[in-house]
Amino acid sequence: MSPAATRRYVVRFTDWTLYETVVLASNKREALAKAIALYNANGLLDFTTNVSGVDGWEAEFLGMEVQS
């Protein structure tokens, strides 16, 4: 079995402030799950913050694959 390709995703959520982190995942759904798990385990420790004005979660592929 060949190693699965893992991609870098930046995951953001907003609550009038924009919070984001980068995770390795095989798709957006997995990236969101990993970021939410990080948030649940560590709070905002793994996230950077910026001022925003909207609410929600999103994931964006950063264009780089990593072999695991």
Side-chain angles (χ1 to χ4, degrees), residues 15-58:
D15 182 15
W16 294 101
T17 301
L18 174 70
Y19 303 93
E20 66 182 21
T21 190
V22 175
V23 296
L24 296 177
S26 59
N27 57 50
K28 283 186 179 184
R29 175 181 249 154
E30 183 182 342
L32 287 169
K34 285 185 172 187
I36 292 168
L38 279 173
Y39 175 77
N40 289 334
N42 301 326
L44 296 174
L45 183 65
D46 299 306
F47 289 79
T48 59
T49 61
N50 290 306
V51 175
S52 179
V54 294
D55 294 331
W57 285 84
E58 73 174 67

